[in-house]
Amino acid sequence: MKKIVVNDTNVFIDLFSVGLLEEFFSLPWEVHTTDLVMLELTKEGQGDTVGKYRQDGRLHVPTLEGKDMIAIGQLKALHEGKTNVSIADCSVWYYAKQNKYVLLTGDRKLRKASVLDGVEVHGIIYVFDNLVDTDVITTEVAAIKLRQLASINPRLPKHR
């Protein structure tokens, strides 16, 4: 069975920043996100680049109905002050939970809240591990790209 993953904004931004979006979309995964995440991809052509994968069918972006948006708003309100996650983060959390999909995020608050809510969550290192394990990239390329990402992403530890 093909793994289905739901991406939040920062995973797309991280992969875009180090030039690994094409490699990511070649993993044997079905990739989903929400319209709210797509709206957050605003810098340096991020939205256009990620949007191409939507156009060619490799990125699935469901149409969230009114009842879904109400539930997402309630999820945000319920956790306001505790986790302070964005509405876009709540949308992928909700979508992953409703469908029992894996959530990919680099956001610590979203990760913590989602895990407590029973959602399987992984981050960018998991993505890199899978890129290497499936021979999409070599360990050498992974090391270079991780160092590059760590130099521009304050969430990741700096390594030499």
Side-chain angles (χ1 to χ4, degrees), residues 47-60:
D48 291 338
T49 304
V50 173
K52 290 176 186 173
Y53 297 100
R54 182 181 191 178
Q55 291 170 348
D56 74 12
R58 290 190 275 171
L59 174 61
H60 304 275

Side-chain angles (χ1 to χ4, degrees), residues 7-143:
N7 267 38
D8 81 341
T9 308
N10 60 42
V11 171
F12 283 131
I13 291 170
D14 285 348
L15 293 166
F16 175 85
S17 297
V18 296
L20 288 176
L21 274 174
E22 182 63 32
E23 290 80 359
F24 172 73
F25 279 100
S26 70
L27 285 169
W29 297 344
E30 185 175 305
V31 181
H32 292 237
T33 197
T34 66
D35 277 328
L36 295 172
V37 166
M38 294 298 290
L39 291 172
E40 289 190 329
L41 298 170
T42 59
K43 295 181 183 169
E44 307 164 16
Q46 296 165 344
D48 291 338
T49 304
V50 173
K52 290 176 186 173
Y53 297 100
R54 182 181 191 178
Q55 291 170 348
D56 74 12
R58 290 190 275 171
L59 174 61
H60 304 275
V61 183
T63 301
L64 296 174
E65 298 179 17
K67 66 178 177 60
D68 299 315
M69 294 307 293
I70 290 168
I72 291 164
Q74 290 171 336
L75 185 63
K76 176 150 177 56
L78 181 65
H79 292 276
E80 197 70 46
K82 290 186 254 179
T83 60
N84 207 24
V85 294
S86 73
I87 194 75
D89 288 343
C90 287
S91 74
V92 291
W93 171 9
Y94 169 83
Y95 184 68
K97 181 176 179 163
Q98 290 302 113
N99 295 288
K100 297 179 177 51
Y101 296 157
V102 174
L103 177 60
L104 298 179
T105 183
D107 184 296
R108 184 180 315 151
K109 294 173 189 173
L110 175 58
R111 173 189 290 266
K112 183 177 179 182
S114 298
V115 166
L116 288 174
D117 201 22
V119 177
E120 181 180 348
V121 181
H122 298 285
I124 195 71
I125 302 301
Y126 175 82
V127 173
F128 272 82
D129 285 346
N130 277 271
L131 289 169
V132 171
D133 290 346
T134 57
D135 295 321
V136 173
I137 62 174
T138 64
T139 54
E140 293 79 13
V141 169

